[in-house]
Amino acid sequence: AELARVERTRLVVGNATTGRVASAYDWSSSPKADPAPIEGDVMRRFPWASGRILRGEVVQIASADMLPSEARNERENFEERGVRSMLVIPVRMDGRIHGGHVFISLAEERVWSEQEIANLRIVTEIFASAVRRRHAEHALRESEQRFRAIAEHATELVSEFDNEGRYHYASPSFARHLDYEPADLLGKHASVLVHPEDLADSTRAVARGVQPG
């Protein structure tokens, strides 16, 4: 907010499938500038601005008087929120536009220079990268949770190994079928459950399975 010399900023990321807001991150210079909760269909409610953002255009609104007649919803929002000026920079992730980084001036009307917009584009890219990593981590956790939920109830032996062939996870079925407590296998090499005569072939098979790429 300080870099843009505004009282409020909001990073809005939409769901490309539903068109609704997937997440929003807010920064305010003071409690008085705290934004109202964002509606899930905010991108649909403001078609004039959203259409330009989704085309990759920067939307700069120096004042409500500069809005065209087709931007009626945007004008009403300016008046309701006490917004004087607004700048929206498209949020691009994985080659697609997923939302906008909104900079809101409440104290005065203003126009952002080309250099200021260029600087704020860099800020937006940094924030977008952080959000992308956060989403990826969340998706990974969900995937792991689904895997564990399935594995915990599987009748077959389900296991995970690290890149050195040691048990990273063993399902409860190991106790039922082999009389080995899963916790006792963690950190041990896969060879502990292999017959000595089969060790060489099994070691080669495990090595192929944990090769990177």
Side-chain angles (χ1 to χ4, degrees):
E2 293 181 2
L3 179 63
R5 292 189 291 123
V6 296
E7 293 77 29
R8 182 191 305 166
T9 69
R10 169 173 273 171
L11 183 69
V12 180
V13 180
N15 184 304
T17 301
T18 65
R20 296 178 64 83
V21 172
S23 55
Y25 307 87
D26 297 297
W27 295 266
S28 300
S29 60
S30 69
K32 294 182 179 180
D34 283 347
I38 191 168
E39 301 88 351
D41 63 344
V42 64
M43 299 180 74
R44 293 177 178 172
R45 288 183 57 231
F46 304 116
W48 178 83
S50 296
R52 284 155 179 75
I53 295 166
L54 293 175
R55 290 198 296 270
E57 301 176 14
V58 172
V59 176
Q60 177 163 201
I61 307 171
S63 71
D65 293 337
M66 298 185 64
L67 287 166
S69 57
E70 59 267 28
R72 182 183 61 186
N73 291 352
E74 286 81 356
R75 180 187 294 272
E76 292 177 353
N77 184 67
F78 259 58
E79 295 172 353
E80 291 174 2
R81 306 297 186 193
V83 175
R84 304 295 298 277
S85 299
M86 179 183 293
L87 175 73
V88 186
I89 295 178
V91 173
R92 187 180 297 273
M93 294 189 294
D94 302 322
R96 298 179 60 183
I97 303 298
H98 283 262
H101 195 180
V102 186
F103 300 87
I104 300 171
S105 176
L106 300 172
E108 61 182 1
E109 293 181 358
R110 59 161 307 180
V111 175
W112 287 266
S113 68
E114 291 186 5
Q115 185 58 57
E116 287 177 311
I117 292 174
N119 292 339
L120 293 175
R121 278 185 180 274
I122 295 173
V123 172
T124 298
E125 290 174 2
I126 293 172
F127 284 142
S129 295
V131 171
R132 183 170 58 247
R133 287 195 300 271
R134 181 172 181 176
H135 286 182
E137 292 169 356
H138 178 71
L140 178 60
R141 286 195 298 270
E142 285 190 336
S143 177
E144 290 177 342
Q145 289 170 358
R146 287 194 296 269
F147 168 78
R148 293 297 172 90
I150 294 172
E152 291 295 304
H153 298 88
T155 57
E156 298 84 357
L157 300 177
V158 181
S159 55
E160 285 182 315
F161 301 94
D162 62 18
N163 58 6
E164 295 184 1
R166 296 174 300 198
Y167 279 95
H168 177 70
Y169 171 80
S171 64
S173 52
F174 275 79
R176 294 192 298 269
H177 295 301
L178 301 179
D179 201 26
Y180 270 90
E181 289 298 325
D184 294 337
L185 290 172
L186 301 185
K188 294 182 179 179
H189 197 271
S191 60
V192 298
L193 297 183
V194 179
H195 191 279
E197 294 180 0
D198 301 323
L199 184 57
D201 290 340
S202 297
T203 300
R204 286 192 292 269
V206 171
R208 288 195 298 270
V210 298
Q211 284 179 349

